[in-house]
């Protein structure tokens, strides 16, 4: 009887196990069907960017129908449902790739504002990732390290496309008891450091999650937990392998590879004597009885040297019939980077680029080198490009790892890069992170000429051995590989003396007798927020070489009075301590110059500062430049840009000024969210007594080119409702029309006759002397009315009569009179009606500045500005702008330069009273040169706005 009861209990457990998997597959399939239907609802076919290939929607609809039929089939097996998920996911992925163009990922490269909110982490705080495809998603499991937050228990994230990620909490609720108890059994008082470097895999119907319990003593254990569902709950199965402090190998950083005979091999190791492997029992996932560690590669011979190789990851390429071992090497805080070797079997022998075993007997670095700390222009750069997960979707391969922004290297951002395979079977990586590009133009010879940025990885090395680098935490990033500008000419020559040619989709670059083939492709330029061409390949030494074409862009300078020609207009001077004289002088650097004299220093550098407020869109990055000099050498000052509300900086750095005039330039972190108003501060409170500081020609450029002159940074709701204050009455509701996506329309419903009780509010910073045009598009199903309102504090500055929103999409426009006092204002859009229940869709809210006029597109207004030092202010576009030039002489040529000296516009004209359209030039301060028959003259100019 006891045996029968035991068998029944076992049968029930097995049945429960399979029922859970069965239900999970049904849930996964339904979720994927819903997402496909959501895509289909808003997808538009056509040939323009953002549209989908004609016929692609019907193809996906057929796949959804097949999946729906399968879901309704009560006789479908668990295996049928699982295959249905995989099949529909392939159709879904194919459909996303049939979209014309590349979608801007709209991600910031830091996460200051959301570091304390784990639900918002997405791809942030990802260290040592392991990736698996499961239940219609890509899942990431990673080390429980986090910036700005205490994390315990393996963060879990998921994505449909390897681009957009969502946080799913933690695999464990804190440190598992089994792990803590193991440490205590080894030695009394053993303190656990964390759970490091998990590895996730699936065997038949069981998910296996290997993780490393690491202790302050140096003891470590690789432990196994299992589940029949990818999101758990997880059952602890015990220690797979362990090591004590000082052991030959270190039991962390596991990866598991299954050979052609079905044997399971765990490869692991970090820092100690190198990388080793053991055999596992395929049935249990635990170490096979009698298996002992065997070395694959070494870090050390005796105590003579260390290359700090760690974090192995293995993937098999069936087409090449090779196993590839990706390894991390170098100091985590500085030069952490990725290398690769290959073999015919998971146990080796593993060979490098030269065909030698990586179990070296003398100090030597492994090649190929795939990714190294790097910096493209217009970005602070990345370090810590290592500890990888290698994955394939059946067609393409990808490498996933952490990247640490050099401006704050304790942050950890997930990087996904597409892998390309050379003719001789080695992987190379895309220079840019993966964004799932859609249908892009065919690359032709005419696409190649122009300016490119090139990065030669590890170019600073000497004699094949890594040179000494600064210690972790230093601000001297001399080990980062910067990009160099090179020019590809139409003649097939390169400015470096090399030659180029295009062969199909391969770029051939020849230097002397050596020709290297590079893969050419389209990707998103994360540094400049636009599509671009990239190339990638290996040098003859096995070092990665990356290139990307530079897109010619005019970055928007949003400083209206950066040369102080209008004294301190638009600027705020703050004085909280010390004794300083701040004014604008006519000498110091050139023209009107900000002058700061210190009689008595203040206690803190931020006690004395000059500030400028401005709105920012999400993921924007800024380059700030200015000229400065001082009456003495080594005068200290500080620069920062921070969120006005939270005082969280996107850049905060000190700089030293001397008696020689110098141009200073800083590149900020990205803005994480569209949060409204930021403040830019130059701080000098700790200046030396008796010293004087001069500053001029301040430029604040949006190098992502997202600044369009719109003072509402989230008017299309692409960042959901972030930054907006929502007010509703008891009988109204306001929400996004499609909350589950970044759908751009705004939806609200109301049954109230009252005004100012239901609406949306957005803070803006406005400047005195400017008019503003507020616009939005709307569509109502039953005579909804809307009314804008502008307030300063609680005082109403301007309200507008309600407009009735039409039944078809219509654009509405309101002109705000000239602002008499600059500062922070609240703009509202309130809703109401005179009776029936109704609703409206609202989107594309914008607030554009103009000057000295009613901003009516049917009229022309003129503004006269004297050109001082050849400079002219072009006020915020995109409203139509002109420059009116008056001269007694016949003009021959007009050239407009930006403050960096680049030509923005050049035109030939003749006669007097000429009008030049400058609507294509971003807002900012420019240098105007007019060449006449007799001289280069400084003219009086008039800006005309339609």
């Amino acid at each position: 009887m006891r045996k029968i009861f035991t068998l029944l209990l076992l049968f029930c457990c097995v049945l429960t196990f399979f029922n859970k998997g069965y239900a999970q597959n049904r849930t996964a399939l339904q979720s994927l069907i819903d997402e496909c239907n959501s895509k289909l609802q808003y997808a538009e076919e056509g040939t323009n960017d953002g549209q989908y290939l004609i016929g692609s929607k019907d193809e996906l609809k057929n796949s959804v129908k097949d999946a729906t039929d399968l879901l309704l089939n009560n006789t479908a097996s668990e295996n049928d449902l699982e295959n249905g998920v995989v099949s529909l996911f392939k159709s879904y992925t194919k459909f996303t790739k049939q979209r014309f163009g590349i979608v801007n990922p709209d991600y910031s490269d830091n996460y200051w504002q959301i570091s304390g909110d784990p639900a918002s982490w997405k791809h942030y705080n990802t260290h040592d990732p392991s990736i698996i495809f499961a239940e219609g998603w890509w899942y990431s499991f990673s080390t429980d390290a986090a910036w700005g937050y205490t994390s315990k228990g393996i963060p879990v994230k998921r994505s449909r496309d390897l681009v957009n990620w969502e946080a799913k909490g933690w695999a464990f609720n804190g440190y598992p008891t089994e792990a803590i108890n193991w440490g205590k059994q080894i030695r009394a008082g053993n303190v656990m450091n964390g759970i490091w470097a998990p590895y996730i895999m699936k065997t038949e119907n069981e998910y296996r999650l290997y993780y490393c319990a690491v202790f302050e003593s140096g003891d470590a254990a690789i432990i196994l937990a299992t589940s029949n569902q990818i999101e758990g709950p997880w059952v602890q199965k015990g220690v797979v392998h362990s090591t004590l402090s000082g052991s030959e190998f270190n039991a962390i950083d596991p990866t598991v590879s299954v050979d052609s005979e079905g044997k399971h091999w765990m490869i692991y190791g970090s820092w100690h004597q190198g990388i080793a492997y053991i055999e596992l029992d395929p049935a249990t996932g635990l170490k096979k009885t009698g298996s002992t560690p065997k070395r694959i590669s070494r870090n050390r011979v005796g105590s003579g040297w260390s290359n700090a190789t760690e974090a192995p990851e293995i993937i098999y390429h069936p087409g090449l019939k090779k196993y590839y071992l990706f390894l991390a090497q170098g100091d985590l805080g500085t030069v952490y980077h990725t290398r690769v070797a290959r073999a015919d079997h998971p146990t080796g022998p593993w060979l490098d680029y030269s065909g030698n075993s990586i179990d070296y007997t003398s100090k030597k670095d492994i090649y190929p080198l795939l990714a190294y700390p790097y910096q493209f222009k217009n970005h602070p750069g990345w370090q810590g490009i290592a500890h990888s997960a290698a994955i394939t979707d059946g067609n393409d391969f990808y490498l996933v790892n952490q990247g640490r922004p050099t401006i704050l290297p304790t942050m950890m951002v997930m990087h996904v890069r597409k892998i390309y395979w050379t003719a001789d079977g080695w992987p190379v990586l895309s220079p840019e992170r993966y964004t799932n590009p859609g249908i892009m133009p065919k690359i032709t010879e005419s696409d190649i000429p122009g300016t490119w940025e090139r990065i030669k990885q590890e170019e600073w090395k000497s004699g094949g051995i890594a040179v000494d680098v600064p210690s972790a935490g230093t601000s001297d990033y001399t080990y980062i590989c910067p990009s160099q500008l090179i020019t590809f000419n139409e003649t097939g020559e390169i400015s470096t003396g090399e030659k180029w040619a295009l062969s199909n989709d391969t770029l051939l670059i020849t230097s002397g007798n050596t020709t290297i083939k590079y893969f050419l492709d389209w990707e998103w330029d994360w540094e400049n927020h636009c599509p671009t061409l990239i190339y990638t390949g290996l040098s003859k030494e096995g070092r990665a070489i990356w290139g990307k074409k530079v897109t010619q862009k005019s970055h928007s300078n949003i400083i209206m009075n950066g040369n102080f020609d209008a004294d301190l207009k638009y600027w705020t001077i703050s004085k909280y301590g010390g004794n300083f004289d701040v004014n604008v002088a006519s000498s110091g650097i050139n023209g009107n110059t900000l002058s700061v004299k210190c009689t008595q220093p203040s206690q803190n550098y931020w006690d004395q500062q000059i500030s400028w407020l401005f709105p920012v869109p999400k993921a924007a990055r800024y380059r700030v430049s200015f000229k400065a000099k001082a009456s003495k050498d080594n005068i200290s000052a500080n620069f920062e840009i921070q969120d006005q509300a939270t005082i969280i900086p996107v850049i905060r750095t000190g700089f030293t000024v001397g008696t020689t005039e110098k141009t200073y330039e800083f590149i900020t972190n990205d803005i994480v969210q569209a949060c409204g108003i930021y403040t830019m501060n130059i701080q000098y409170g700790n200046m030396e007594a008796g010293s004087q500081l001069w500053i001029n020609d301040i430029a604040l450029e949006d190098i992502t080119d997202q600044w369009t002159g719109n003072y509402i940074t989230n008017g299309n709701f692409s960042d959901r409702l972030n930054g907006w204050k929502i007010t509703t009455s008891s009988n109204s509701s306001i929400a996004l029309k499609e909350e589950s996506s970044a759908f751009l329309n705004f939806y609200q419903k109301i049954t109230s006759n009252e005004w100012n009780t239901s609406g949306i509010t957005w803070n803006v910073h406005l400047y005195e002397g400017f008019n503003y045009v507020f616009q939005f598009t709307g569509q109502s199903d039953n005579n909804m009315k809307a009314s804008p309102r502008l307030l300063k504090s609680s005082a109403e500055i301007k309200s507008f009569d309600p407009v009735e929103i039409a039944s078809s999409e219509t654009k509405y426009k309101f002109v705000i009179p000239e602002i008499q006092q600059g500062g922070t204002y609240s703009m509202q859009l309130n809703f109401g009606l005179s009776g029936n229940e109704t609703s409206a869709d609202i989107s594309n809210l914008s607030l554009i500045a103009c000057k000295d006029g009613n901003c009516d597109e049917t009229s022309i207004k003129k503004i006269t500005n004297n050109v001082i030092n050849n400079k002219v202010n072009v006020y915020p576009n995109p409203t139509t702008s002109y420059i009116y030039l008056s001269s007694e002489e016949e003009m021959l040529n007009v050239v407009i330069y930006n403050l960096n000296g680049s030509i923005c516009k050049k035109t030939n004209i003749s006669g007097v009273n000429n009008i030049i359209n400058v609507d294509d030039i971003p807002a900012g301060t420019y240098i105007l040169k007019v060449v006449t028959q007799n001289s280069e003259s400084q003219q009086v100019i008039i800006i005309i706005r339609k």
Side-chain angles (χ1 to χ4, degrees):
M1 180 65 70
R2 184 175 296 174
K3 286 184 178 180
I4 294 174
F5 175 78
T6 302
L7 289 172
L8 284 173
L9 182 62
L10 178 61
F11 174 77
C12 290
C13 290
V14 172
L15 185 61
T16 301
F17 178 88
F18 282 105
N19 281 340
K20 282 184 177 179
Y22 187 76
Q24 193 70 12
N25 283 324
R26 283 190 170 275
T27 301
L29 187 56
Q30 183 63 66
S31 171
L32 195 50
I33 289 172
D34 292 342
E35 187 145 347
C36 288
N37 284 330
S38 178
K39 283 274 187 188
L40 288 168
Q41 181 180 359
Y42 301 111
E44 179 183 352
E45 291 186 344
T47 57
N48 297 323
D49 276 4
Q51 295 178 327
Y52 290 80
L53 186 69
I54 294 173
S56 60
K57 290 181 67 174
D58 286 340
E59 188 177 353
L60 182 59
K61 286 177 182 177
N62 291 334
S63 297
V64 170
K65 183 182 182 301
D66 292 342
T68 303
D69 291 343
L70 178 62
L71 200 62
L72 296 174
N73 183 358
N74 293 327
T75 64
S77 68
E78 178 190 4
N79 189 57
D80 290 336
L81 291 168
E82 186 171 6
N83 289 336
V85 172
V86 173
S87 177
L88 183 56
F89 183 82
K90 288 181 178 178
S91 297
Y92 169 86
T93 301
K94 180 181 178 181
F95 179 73
T96 64
K97 293 180 183 296
Q98 290 178 319
R99 180 187 186 276
F100 286 90
I102 303 177
V103 178
N104 181 356
D106 198 24
Y107 278 164
S108 303
D109 282 343
N110 72 91
Y111 45 100
W112 290 89
Q113 289 96 328
I114 61 173
S115 60
D117 179 17
S120 301
W121 282 357
K122 299 179 182 178
H123 62 309
Y124 302 126
N125 275 334
T126 301
H127 185 58
D128 308 336
S130 181
I131 311 291
I132 189 174
F133 176 78
E135 299 168 14
W137 298 86
W138 293 101
Y139 275 85
S140 164
F141 294 75
S142 57
T143 291
D144 61 9
W147 183 88
Y149 192 89
T150 300
S151 173
K152 294 183 178 181
I154 305 180
V156 181
K157 304 174 178 71
R158 70 179 187 180
S159 171
R160 294 281 195 204
D161 56 8
L162 296 174
V163 180
N164 301 285
W165 293 84
E166 60 175 304
K168 297 296 293 181
W170 284 262
F172 307 144
N173 183 20
Y175 298 151
T177 303
E178 292 81 355
I180 296 174
N181 289 343
W182 177 85
K184 291 180 179 179
Q185 291 169 6
I186 296 301
R187 64 184 83 219
N190 225 356
V191 178
M192 192 167 173
N193 260 346
I195 299 177
W196 292 2
Y199 180 80
I200 183 71
M201 64 179 296
K202 188 179 183 184
T203 301
E204 295 182 350
N205 293 314
E206 181 178 78
Y207 293 100
R208 293 177 177 176
L209 180 59
Y210 295 93
Y211 66 93
C212 309
V214 182
F215 294 81
E216 289 183 359
S217 61
D219 304 332
I222 299 172
I223 303 175
L224 172 64
T226 64
S227 175
N228 71 312
Q229 300 176 75
I230 189 61
E231 293 185 21
W234 297 93
V235 177
Q236 301 293 324
K237 293 295 185 178
V239 174
V240 179
H241 184 61
S242 63
T243 56
L244 303 181
S245 176
S247 297
E248 182 179 11
F249 303 108
N250 197 7
I252 66 171
D253 296 354
T255 186
V256 178
S257 185
V258 180
D259 67 16
S260 58
E261 298 178 358
K263 294 182 178 180
H264 288 216
W265 304 94
M266 175 175 282
I267 295 88
Y268 69 96
S270 168
W271 285 84
H272 288 200
Q273 290 289 334
I275 308 300
Y277 70 88
I278 56 173
E279 187 174 359
L280 303 179
D281 183 344
T284 65
L286 300 174
K287 183 163 64 175
K288 185 176 181 179
T289 302
S291 178
T292 58
K294 295 181 176 59
R295 182 170 50 229
I296 285 175
S297 70
R298 71 179 75 208
N299 288 349
R300 185 169 302 170
V301 176
S303 59
W305 50 270
S306 173
N307 278 14
T309 303
E310 62 176 18
E313 169 76 349
I314 292 180
I315 194 169
Y316 180 70
H317 193 303
L320 298 173
K321 295 182 172 52
K322 293 283 185 181
Y323 293 86
Y324 289 85
L325 173 64
F326 298 91
L327 292 165
Q329 186 174 310
D331 179 14
L332 176 63
T334 53
V335 296
Y336 209 48
H337 58 276
T338 303
R339 298 174 184 267
V340 66
R342 67 185 181 188
D344 295 325
H345 190 269
T347 61
W350 291 93
L351 306 181
D352 63 15
Y353 195 55
S354 301
N356 299 317
S357 170
I358 63 172
D359 190 11
Y360 300 127
T361 57
S362 61
K363 185 174 183 178
K364 192 175 180 181
D365 292 325
I366 298 171
Y367 288 95
L369 166 69
L370 299 185
Y372 205 83
Y374 70 96
Q375 182 183 28
F376 282 116
K377 299 185 186 307
N378 291 337
H379 196 279
W382 294 96
Q383 60 191 75
I385 316 295
H387 200 128
S388 304
I391 56 174
T392 179
D393 59 9
N395 295 311
D396 295 316
F397 289 76
Y398 306 90
L399 202 67
V400 186
N401 48 35
Q402 62 159 330
R404 294 176 177 264
T406 58
I407 204 164
L408 189 61
T410 48
M411 284 185 171
M412 298 152 283
V413 180
M414 182 191 295
H415 284 201
V416 181
R417 298 179 192 274
K418 185 177 177 180
I419 297 175
Y420 302 83
W421 298 90
T422 65
D424 55 352
W426 287 105
V428 291
L429 304 179
S430 170
E432 293 286 356
R433 288 164 280 165
Y434 179 68
T435 52
N436 193 29
I439 300 172
M440 300 298 292
K442 178 177 175 57
I443 302 172
T444 65
E445 283 192 355
S446 62
D447 295 317
I448 307 303
T451 302
W452 291 69
E453 290 187 59
R454 179 169 68 181
I455 292 178
K456 292 184 176 181
Q457 303 280 19
E458 203 186 39
E459 194 170 25
W460 50 264
K461 285 177 66 72
S462 174
I465 301 299
V467 300
D468 291 336
V469 297
S471 60
T474 180
S475 60
D476 183 13
Y477 301 117
T478 56
Y479 52 86
I480 291 176
C481 296
S483 67
Q484 296 176 330
L485 293 177
I486 61 175
T487 302
F488 286 70
N489 297 318
E490 295 179 355
T491 58
E493 297 177 337
I494 306 176
S495 58
T496 54
E498 300 162 291
K499 296 183 181 297
W500 71 269
L502 186 64
S503 176
N504 296 323
D505 291 331
T506 302
L507 180 66
L508 307 178
I509 297 182
T510 301
S511 176
N513 296 322
T514 301
T515 298
I516 298 176
K517 295 181 179 180
Y518 293 92
F519 294 94
L520 266 174
D521 211 342
W522 290 97
E523 249 304 352
W524 186 256
D525 186 331
W526 285 77
E527 291 75 28
N528 296 297
H529 282 235
C530 61
T532 191
L533 283 174
I534 58 97
Y535 70 77
T536 181
L538 290 176
S539 71
K540 62 181 180 180
E541 299 85 12
R543 296 176 183 169
I545 298 179
W546 290 349
K548 74 168 181 180
K549 192 172 184 182
V550 177
T551 302
Q552 300 298 329
K553 303 174 76 176
S554 297
H555 300 132
S556 302
N557 179 13
I558 58 177
I559 294 289
M560 297 182 192
N561 187 31
N563 52 22
F564 302 101
D565 289 344
D567 201 67
L568 290 173
K569 193 173 185 180
Y570 311 134
W571 295 93
T572 299
I573 306 297
S574 300
K575 298 182 178 183
Y576 302 112
N579 189 350
F580 287 75
D581 178 23
V582 182
N583 58 63
V584 173
S586 59
S587 63
I589 295 179
N590 57 275
N592 288 352
T593 300
L594 175 70
S595 172
V596 179
K597 295 180 181 180
C598 175
T599 303
Q600 179 184 349
S602 56
Q603 184 174 357
N604 305 301
Y605 66 82
W606 59 82
D607 286 342
Q608 294 279 332
Q609 61 185 14
I610 181 171
S611 304
W612 199 82
L613 294 171
F614 63 102
V616 295
K618 181 181 179 182
R621 189 182 321 113
Y622 294 89
R623 176 170 56 222
V624 182
S625 63
F626 54 88
K627 295 176 181 176
K629 73 172 184 177
S631 58
K632 302 178 180 180
D633 283 328
N634 300 318
I635 298 300
S636 297
N638 197 75
F639 175 82
E640 70 177 11
I641 292 179
Q642 63 186 19
D643 183 347
Q644 186 189 24
T646 62
I647 320 180
I648 294 177
V650 292
I651 185 171
R652 178 176 288 160
T653 183
F655 61 98
T656 303
V657 186
T659 56
T660 302
E661 179 186 313
K662 179 181 176 182
T663 298
Y664 296 82
E665 182 176 293
F666 305 109
I667 295 177
T668 72
N669 274 321
D670 286 8
I671 307 301
V672 178
Q673 297 174 331
C675 295
I677 302 169
Y678 276 64
T679 176
M680 184 190 75
N681 311 305
I682 298 178
Q683 302 156 324
Y684 36 78
N686 55 351
M687 275 176 59
E688 184 180 333
S691 62
Q692 185 172 5
L693 172 68
W694 293 279
I695 296 174
N696 205 351
D697 295 334
I698 304 174
L700 176 65
E701 296 177 279
D702 178 358
I703 55 181
T704 57
D705 269 9
Q706 296 187 73
W707 171 246
T708 61
N710 183 6
Y711 284 75
I712 301 176
T713 60
N714 187 29
N716 57 13
F717 305 106
S718 60
D719 200 23
R720 307 298 199 276
L721 291 177
N722 185 53
W724 295 92
K725 178 182 179 182
I726 306 298
T727 305
T728 58
S729 60
S730 59
N731 54 3
S732 67
S733 63
I734 295 178
L736 287 181
K737 189 172 184 179
E738 186 68 23
E739 180 64 39
S740 63
S741 70
F743 189 56
L744 303 183
N745 281 347
F746 179 84
Y747 175 78
Q748 72 88 39
K749 187 176 182 182
I750 188 169
T751 58
S752 170
N753 296 326
E754 299 177 356
W755 289 97
N756 304 328
T757 59
S758 297
I760 54 177
T761 303
W762 180 251
N763 287 339
V764 294
H765 185 79
L766 306 182
Y767 299 97
E768 68 270 23
F770 282 83
N771 303 104
Y772 291 86
V773 174
F774 171 60
Q775 302 178 96
F776 67 89
T777 56
Q779 181 176 350
S780 173
D781 61 13
N782 193 8
N783 302 324
M784 173 70 75
K785 292 183 178 180
S787 174
R789 189 168 175 241
L790 185 70
L791 302 97
K792 187 170 179 58
S793 298
S794 58
E796 184 176 276
I797 303 300
K798 175 66 177 178
S799 64
F800 295 87
D801 293 335
V803 294
E804 187 172 290
I805 301 175
S807 58
S808 59
E809 187 174 289
T810 305
K811 188 174 183 179
Y812 297 91
K813 179 177 179 179
F814 306 85
V815 178
I816 297 173
E818 182 177 309
I819 298 299
Q820 301 301 313
Q821 180 183 0
T824 300
Y825 289 76
S826 294
M827 191 190 72
Q828 294 179 353
L829 184 60
N830 299 310
F831 301 97
L833 67 154
S834 56
N836 299 324
E837 179 176 335
T838 187
S839 64
D841 295 340
I842 307 293
S843 189
N844 299 319
L845 289 86
S846 66
L847 186 69
I848 303 293
C850 50
K851 185 76 172 172
D852 286 356
N854 62 14
C855 307
D856 187 347
E857 291 182 2
T858 64
S859 65
I860 296 177
K861 297 294 177 179
K862 300 181 179 180
I863 313 162
T864 299
N865 282 306
N866 288 323
V867 177
I868 302 176
N869 296 320
N870 256 12
K871 289 182 186 149
V872 54
N873 289 323
V874 175
Y875 292 100
N877 287 348
T879 52
T880 305
S881 308
Y882 298 91
I883 293 179
Y884 174 78
L885 294 166
S886 178
S887 173
E888 295 179 356
E889 300 184 52
E890 182 179 3
M891 298 179 186
L892 299 178
N893 187 265
V894 177
V895 185
I896 301 175
Y897 302 85
N898 63 22
L899 294 182
N900 293 325
S902 299
I903 296 176
C904 299
K905 197 173 191 71
K906 185 176 181 180
T907 183
N908 294 315
I909 59 175
S910 61
V912 296
N913 298 333
N914 291 276
I915 293 177
I916 299 174
N917 187 298
V918 291
D919 191 40
D920 56 340
I921 295 180
T925 300
Y926 295 86
I927 298 171
L928 177 72
K929 181 187 290 185
V930 179
V931 182
T932 69
Q933 289 179 333
N934 299 319
S935 64
E936 293 183 4
S937 59
Q938 290 81 42
Q939 301 293 328
V940 174
I941 64 122
I942 299 175
I943 294 181
I944 306 172
R945 288 205 171 275
K946 269 190 176 178

